[in-house]
Amino acid sequence: MSALVKSSAKKRCKIHISRLISNFHTNIQIVQQLQNTNNLNSLVSNHTIVLKSGFSNDTFISNHLINSYIRLHKTEDAHRVFDEMSDRNVVTWTALMSGYINIRQPKSALKLFEQMPRSIIFPNPFTFATAINACSYLSDIGTGRKTHSHIVVSGFHSNLVVCTSLINMYGKSNYVDDSRRVFDSMENKNVVSWTSMISVYAQNARGEEALLLFREYINSKSYEPNQFLLSSVINACASLAKLVTGKVTHSAVIRHGYDTNEVVASSLIDMYAKCGLFDYSLKIFRRIPNPGLIPYTSVIVGAAKYGLGRFSLDLFEEMLEKGIRPNDVTFLGVLHACSHSGLIDTGLQYLNSMYETHGIIPDSKHYICAVDMLGRTGRLDEACQLAKFVPPEVKDIEILWGSLLSSSRTYGRLDIAVEAGERLIEMNQHLATAYVTMSNTSASVGNWENAYRLRSEMNKSGINKEPGSSWVELRDKVYVFYAGNVKSCARGDEVVNLLKELEVRMKERGYVRGRKGLVFVDVEDEVEEMVLGLHSEKLALGFGLLSIPEGAAIRVIKNLRMCLDCHEFFKAISKIVERDIIVRDVNRFHHFIDGSCTCNDFW
DNA sequence: CTTACGGGCG
């Protein structure tokens, strides 16, 4: 009797185990199949198998199902699985959140994050990293800070990935020092966290600090930098136009074999173009086996900025022929190319084709470029027409009207100047500029009464124009210039004399002064314009030893490049500081391009 | 068990 019971128990047990084993087996199989699905058809059939085999109540399997949909960017379908689940765990919620981030809907991710605690499911470090990531995409510093305190309260503030996501979040909202605070608080760091901090500096125009931190990394860590880190460092070099440092980093890229990586190559293309060596940019570009959108866009933008407008357009057409689809940035390069080569109608055609044939909606930057292009060549009626066409709620619209105001002044179009000025005043933007320019325009057409009225209106309302300033950094000394007062700078006279000399040479080559032309005649406003032009980021001239702000290059070089080549310009500028320049053996660095140089003791 | 962080051009 007892033996019978024992035997039947044994039998039941055996059946039970074998069923378990077979269940376990299919379970593993289903998970493996789900993990390997890379197309929707097989996923749908696997989904059917899950439903038929009764595994749809299994949280673990359903989570895998959600992940499979997310990998295929079918977040809606993932959400449907989510809705049908009876037992969701923290992984279910986190996976769906990251699914929404994948399809560029960070707001939906944050919505889920908010709803989660109501189901008595609490976030883990994965969830927090995902939520912070959503805040980064949205530049939502408010939610970001709130979530940060939530992280601290939950005790996850030492988690490496969570900290890294916080560094990025603060950086994307331009709170660079908060990023650094998180970075310094970390007990353990990896390449990703170092890369994040370095790129936060690079993306916030703090290239010097980026390079300083990179040096620290090289000195303190035994691991080699990877392609992510190197492209951030090259980006920092580009914004500072540190050609020598850039070349040394390029040699590191070659040594590690990242020179055909699209993003690394693109950052190099950009770096050389900003340093005035577009030949190198092109050489790097041509070495990429099958260049895609990113390298094409970089080289198109680089060529356009360098002044090779037609060549830039050739590259664009080449890209289209290869079937590579351009994006909004590519078109910005194309419009710049047209603008700087005087191909106005071609530019307008391209602007038109953006939506018509490529489905890309132009944003304010494209319109600003087009209005600028029309305005600088005196086609003010069209410029004004286009400006009116742009919806007034568009971001940065004031720049557009500011540009129109400035060009209508150059061409003495009081009617348009007044219209643009009034728009600016309505928008409460660039008030001083609007008043001053409107007043000057009235004066220039002899309407003194109006000129005087505008000036006094401006004074009455207490609007003051802050003097624009700019600086030239030469090795360890900074020279500051204030608008309308060149003498306030230690060697301001030398700068003005040099610019005058350059203007003479430009005229020799047939340059006709237009709007935003180099203006070094003795008119206060125009000196101001010139000095204001020397603003924003730095562009080094003369092998990384002499730098002037990038805005300078942009405005100054825009004109200069039409008649002087870059090297000539660099040489000319370097006259200002002849004594400060150390002549370097440039040829030594040419080897970097070919990878034969092993100069790695630079850091 | 499954879920998380970094690079480019504007």
Side-chain angles (χ1 to χ4, degrees):
Chain A
M1 181 73 180
S2 76
L4 196 70
V5 170
K6 255 187 195 166
S7 129
S8 91
K10 209 173 179 180
K11 208 175 175 185
R12 269 207 312 275
C13 192
K14 205 174 177 183
I15 290 164
H16 190 59
I17 285 169
S18 76
R19 189 183 290 156
L20 245 181
I21 288 170
S22 92
N23 280 356
F24 184 66
H25 192 65
T26 40
N27 182 317
I28 290 285
Q29 270 185 335
I30 286 175
V31 167
Q32 276 177 346
Q33 278 187 37
L34 285 173
Q35 279 179 325
N36 293 332
T37 39
N38 48 15
N39 66 78
L40 197 57
N41 283 340
S42 63
L43 175 53
V44 169
S45 68
N46 281 325
H47 192 167
T48 316
I49 292 170
V50 169
L51 292 173
K52 278 185 184 163
S53 60
F55 275 128
S56 47
N57 283 329
D58 187 311
T59 306
F60 178 64
I61 297 213
S62 297
N63 285 348
H64 272 288
L65 205 49
I66 287 180
N67 288 329
S68 301
Y69 277 116
I70 284 168
R71 263 202 311 278
L72 300 173
H73 292 264
K74 297 285 175 193
T75 305
E76 294 299 319
D77 295 300
H79 205 143
R80 217 161 292 133
V81 177
F82 176 94
D83 283 338
E84 284 159 9
M85 281 173 74
S86 49
D87 271 321
R88 293 171 213 136
N89 63 12
V90 64
V91 177
T92 322
W93 286 85
T94 309
L96 191 60
M97 280 169 66
S98 72
Y100 276 110
I101 291 178
N102 277 348
I103 59 162
R104 301 288 130 107
Q105 290 186 31
K107 276 190 180 166
S108 308
L110 286 181
K111 212 170 149 193
L112 282 167
F113 182 61
E114 253 174 61
Q115 289 167 350
M116 221 175 127
R118 268 178 253 158
S119 310
I120 336 235
I121 305 282
F122 297 100
N124 68 8
F126 288 76
T127 326
F128 279 121
T130 310
I132 291 292
N133 194 12
C135 298
S136 301
Y137 278 109
L138 297 163
S139 295
D140 182 350
I141 184 70
T143 312
R145 281 197 195 283
K146 232 187 282 170
T147 312
H148 188 175
S149 24
H150 197 166
I151 287 165
V152 174
V153 171
S154 311
F156 296 131
H157 53 284
S158 347
N159 179 287
L160 192 144
V161 179
V162 170
C163 285
T164 307
S165 67
L166 285 168
I167 291 171
N168 291 315
M169 186 273 292
Y170 283 119
K172 288 283 178 332
S173 298
N174 312 109
Y175 289 91
V176 181
D177 297 331
D178 288 286
S179 293
R180 184 59 196 249
R181 224 164 284 144
V182 174
F183 180 77
D184 287 336
S185 79
M186 293 170 75
E187 290 155 26
N188 302 308
K189 299 182 183 91
N190 63 8
V191 199
V192 182
S193 35
W194 280 87
T195 304
S196 297
M197 193 60 235
I198 289 170
S199 66
V200 163
Y201 277 132
Q203 288 160 359
N204 283 279
R206 288 168 68 162
E208 293 287 359
E209 285 150 292
L211 293 181
L212 216 64
L213 199 62
F214 180 54
R215 185 179 226 153
E216 210 181 295
Y217 176 85
I218 294 291
N219 289 338
S220 67
K221 302 289 156 187
S222 49
Y223 355 104
E224 296 291 334
N226 62 16
Q227 67 272 43
F228 294 90
L229 186 45
L230 288 172
S231 45
S232 291
V233 172
I234 294 160
N235 178 230
C237 296
S239 65
L240 297 164
K242 290 223 172 200
L243 182 59
V244 173
T245 311
K247 281 183 168 174
V248 172
T249 314
H250 185 182
S251 78
V253 165
I254 292 166
R255 278 202 310 280
H256 291 101
Y258 296 129
D259 49 330
T260 47
N261 174 288
E262 284 208 345
V263 179
V264 173
S266 300
S267 62
L268 284 168
I269 290 168
D270 176 58
M271 188 270 293
Y272 283 118
K274 281 185 177 148
C275 292
L277 293 172
F278 183 73
D279 291 351
Y280 282 17
S281 302
L282 197 60
K283 212 169 168 181
I284 290 161
F285 175 73
R286 290 300 183 202
R287 200 162 285 174
I288 303 170
N290 281 310
L293 167 71
I294 296 168
Y296 261 109
T297 301
S298 300
V299 76
I300 287 165
V301 170
K305 276 196 180 176
Y306 194 76
L308 300 171
R310 291 211 180 256
F311 183 62
S312 174
L313 297 180
D314 288 345
L315 287 165
F316 179 65
E317 292 300 333
E318 178 185 309
M319 172 184 169
L320 293 183
E321 275 167 30
K322 285 191 187 171
I324 300 161
R325 293 173 63 183
N327 68 7
D328 53 332
V329 185
T330 322
F331 270 104
L332 212 50
V334 167
L335 291 175
H336 263 107
C338 296
S339 175
H340 295 304
S341 301
L343 304 164
I344 318 298
D345 292 304
T346 312
L348 293 176
Q349 275 165 23
Y350 277 123
L351 179 68
N352 212 42
S353 77
M354 273 183 75
Y355 185 72
E356 298 284 310
T357 58
H358 298 96
I360 303 161
I361 300 165
D363 65 31
S364 62
K365 288 187 189 121
H366 302 96
Y367 289 120
I368 290 165
C369 189
V371 166
D372 194 70
M373 177 174 82
L374 288 164
R376 82 166 73 211
T377 48
R379 290 166 67 166
L380 285 155
D381 292 301
E382 289 161 272
C384 188
Q385 210 184 326
L386 184 60
K388 281 182 192 162
F389 168 78
V390 181
E393 63 276 5
V394 160
K395 192 175 148 263
D396 294 331
I397 186 110
E398 68 278 2
I399 298 171
L400 193 149
W401 287 102
S403 161
L404 189 61
L405 174 63
S406 157
S407 52
S408 55
R409 187 194 66 167
T410 304
Y411 287 93
R413 284 292 298 267
L414 182 61
D415 52 336
I416 292 173
V418 167
E419 173 146 17
E422 278 170 356
R423 297 260 184 163
L424 286 169
I425 290 164
E426 260 172 48
M427 287 184 273
N428 209 19
Q429 291 284 344
H430 301 280
L431 289 182
T433 314
Y435 277 114
V436 170
T437 311
M438 282 166 78
S439 166
N440 286 351
T441 312
S442 295
S444 70
V445 296
N447 190 340
W448 299 104
E449 204 176 310
N450 203 32
Y452 179 77
R453 185 186 59 77
L454 282 161
R455 278 281 180 180
S456 62
E457 202 174 293
M458 176 180 151
N459 291 339
K460 257 189 282 177
S461 49
I463 298 160
N464 285 311
K465 195 157 169 27
E466 283 203 14
S469 65
S470 112
W471 58 95
V472 175
E473 195 183 307
L474 304 171
R475 308 190 63 200
D476 53 346
K477 202 167 179 339
V478 177
Y479 299 84
V480 184
F481 299 78
Y482 286 98
N485 187 5
V486 172
K487 287 194 170 51
S488 64
C489 172
R491 298 168 72 180
D493 290 336
E494 286 173 73
V495 174
V496 171
N497 283 336
L498 173 90
L499 291 172
K500 281 182 177 167
E501 193 191 313
L502 282 171
E503 189 186 34
V504 170
R505 288 169 61 187
M506 287 166 71
K507 279 185 175 160
E508 281 168 10
R509 299 185 187 203
Y511 173 72
V512 184
R513 220 185 90 198
R515 189 182 106 67
K516 282 191 182 174
L518 273 183
V519 275
F520 358 103
V521 282
D522 301 318
V523 179
E524 192 192 287
D525 254 12
E526 301 200 315
V527 171
E528 174 189 274
E529 197 174 315
M530 167 200 80
V531 176
L532 279 174
L534 296 169
H535 222 300
S536 93
E537 289 174 47
K538 290 174 223 163
L539 183 92
L541 302 164
F543 315 115
L545 295 167
L546 160 63
S547 61
I548 67 164
E550 187 180 40
I554 295 199
R555 281 212 215 168
V556 173
I557 291 177
K558 248 182 206 174
N559 300 294
L560 277 169
R561 278 190 181 151
M562 293 183 186
C563 52
L564 297 176
D565 74 44
C566 248
H567 279 294
E568 211 170 343
F569 178 58
F570 288 163
K571 250 173 15 199
I573 288 282
S574 66
K575 276 190 192 168
I576 308 172
V577 282
E578 240 166 319
R579 281 160 299 173
D580 300 318
I581 285 278
I582 300 165
V583 179
R584 292 224 181 189
D585 177 10
V586 185
N587 291 327
R588 191 158 64 95
F589 293 103
H590 285 278
H591 300 299
F592 281 114
I593 282 282
D594 305 317
S596 54
C597 186
T598 51
C599 171
N600 44 19
D601 56 356
F602 184 81
W603 293 103

